[in-house]
Amino acid sequence: MAAIAIASALSACAPSALTTARSQIAGANYPAARQELVALAARTDLNADERREVKDDLCLCDFKIGRPTYTLAEQRGACLDAAKEPGSQSSSIIAQVDEAERSRDSQEVDAALTAHDLADAELAATDYQSLADGDPATIARWSKQIWTLADAQVFADSSARKHSLGGAIAEARKNYPNVAKMDQSQFTGWVAKTATVSGTALASSVEVSDSTVDLSVDDANMRLAALSLDRLATINDGMAARCGCDARTNVAVAETGFPAYFVRLDPETKMSEVMILPRVDPRIVAANTN
C-alpha cells in the first residue's frame, strides 16, 4: 500500500510541475520555465502526452530565449527532438528557426563574397544548402560567384602565364602522345579511368570541354581524392596534351557544387599543380554555433 501511495504521488507531480512551467511561459519567464522542463524531461514516469508536452515546451523556450544563449543549431536540435513525438506542435517553430538561419546564412555569404573570403562564403552557403526550403536560384548564384572568385584568385596571373606555357604544353604532349589523338568520348573514358583508385571511381561526374575538365567528387570520396592529387595532375597534363592549351581541371564537391581543387599548368616545373581551395567539412557545418 505504501509503495502504491508513493507511486501515485510521483505520478501526480508531473502535471503539477508542467503547470508551473506553463505559468512561467505565460509570464514570458522562459529561463525559469526551461529549468522546470529540463527536470521534468529527465523523469522516466511521464506518459506519452506529458513527454510530448514537455519537449514541445522546451522547444518553445529555447526558441524564445534565443541567441546567444541558445544557438540556432541548438534551438533546431531541441525542436527536432520534440517533433519526433506523435502529435508534436514543434514543426512550425522549426520552420521559423530555419528561416532565421537562412537569413543569417544569406547575410554571411554576401559579406564573405564582398570580402573575397572563400572559406567563410562556402561555410555559410553550405549551411544554407543543408536547410529545408532553400532557394535553388540563390544557391546557384552563390555557386557561380564562389567559382568566379576562386578562379580569379587562383589564376590571377593567367595573362602573364600564357606567354610562358609553351614548354609545359610541349612536355605534356611528349609525355602523353596517345591522349592527343583521342576524340572526346575516348578522352572522357581515359579521365574516368585515371580518376579510379584501387577500384574506386573518385568522380561521380566527368565533363570535358575544349580546354577544361570538370570533375564532381562525392563528399565520401574527398579523403581519397586528397590522397590522389597526382591523379588530378595527370588528368590536367592529359588535357593540356589533348588541347595544346592552358588546360584547367576543376574539382567540385558533388553535394554542394562548390570548389575543392583547381589544377593548372606550372610553367616553371612544366607540370600540372593542384591548388587546394578552402572547403567545408560537413561536421563543421553540423556543429556550427553562430
Side-chain angles (χ1 to χ4, degrees):
M1 292 295 291
I4 292 173
I6 293 171
S8 297
L10 287 174
S11 178
C13 290
S16 175
L18 187 53
T19 299
T20 301
R22 287 281 173 80
S23 296
Q24 299 285 9
I25 290 173
N29 191 356
Y30 299 108
R34 190 181 193 281
Q35 187 173 1
E36 296 275 358
L37 292 165
V38 168
L40 272 172
R43 292 177 52 164
T44 59
D45 61 329
L46 300 181
N47 63 39
D49 287 342
E50 289 168 347
R51 187 159 300 281
R52 181 195 67 239
E53 290 177 25
V54 167
K55 289 190 175 184
D56 274 346
D57 286 349
L58 273 171
C59 163
L60 176 64
C61 286
D62 284 4
F63 177 65
K64 289 295 188 179
I65 295 170
R67 294 180 292 171
T69 304
Y70 299 106
T71 67
L72 289 173
E74 288 171 328
Q75 294 172 42
R76 194 169 193 271
C79 293
L80 284 174
D81 182 52
K84 295 175 184 177
E85 301 295 327
S88 170
Q89 302 297 310
S90 292
S91 58
S92 62
I93 296 181
I94 293 173
Q96 294 178 68
V97 171
D98 284 353
E99 179 58 33
E101 193 159 1
R102 283 192 295 270
S103 177
R104 183 209 64 183
D105 286 338
S106 295
Q107 294 171 10
E108 291 186 355
V109 172
D110 290 338
L113 289 171
T114 299
H116 294 182
D117 188 332
L118 282 173
D120 280 356
E122 186 179 346
L123 175 63
T126 301
D127 188 56
Y128 178 96
Q129 193 175 45
S130 71
L131 300 171
D133 300 324
D135 180 19
T138 297
I139 295 170
R141 173 171 59 83
W142 286 339
S143 182
K144 183 177 180 180
Q145 289 176 301
I146 289 172
W147 274 103
T148 299
L149 177 59
D151 187 76
Q153 291 184 0
V154 171
F155 297 103
D157 60 346
S158 59
S159 57
R161 288 175 60 256
K162 286 182 180 179
H163 298 294
S164 56
L165 284 175
I169 294 170
E171 189 70 15
R173 288 196 151 176
K174 173 183 172 183
N175 291 334
Y176 301 94
N178 295 329
V179 171
K181 303 173 185 178
M182 294 179 181
D183 60 27
Q184 184 154 323
S185 177
Q186 291 171 326
F187 181 70
T188 301
W190 178 84
V191 170
K193 182 178 179 180
T194 304
T196 298
V197 180
S198 300
T200 299
L202 293 179
S204 57
S205 172
V206 177
E207 296 183 11
V208 176
S209 64
D210 291 340
S211 61
T212 304
V213 176
D214 291 309
L215 303 176
S216 292
V217 178
D218 293 339
D219 190 77
N221 286 336
M222 271 297 167
R223 179 173 175 77
L224 182 58
L227 298 173
S228 309
L229 299 183
D230 57 323
R231 301 293 185 105
L232 303 180
T234 296
I235 288 169
N236 198 64
D237 282 343
M239 182 75 248
R242 181 170 183 267
C243 71
C245 65
D246 184 8
R248 299 184 178 189
T249 297
N250 304 323
V251 182
V253 183
E255 286 81 356
T256 65
F258 300 138
Y261 302 104
F262 273 131
V263 193
R264 67 174 182 178
L265 287 172
D266 185 341
E268 294 185 6
T269 64
K270 298 182 179 180
M271 298 172 62
S272 291
E273 63 175 357
V274 180
M275 310 295 293
I276 302 174
L277 296 168
R279 117 164 245 279
V280 175
D281 187 326
R283 291 168 296 183
I284 296 175
V285 175
N288 187 7
T289 57
N290 292 324

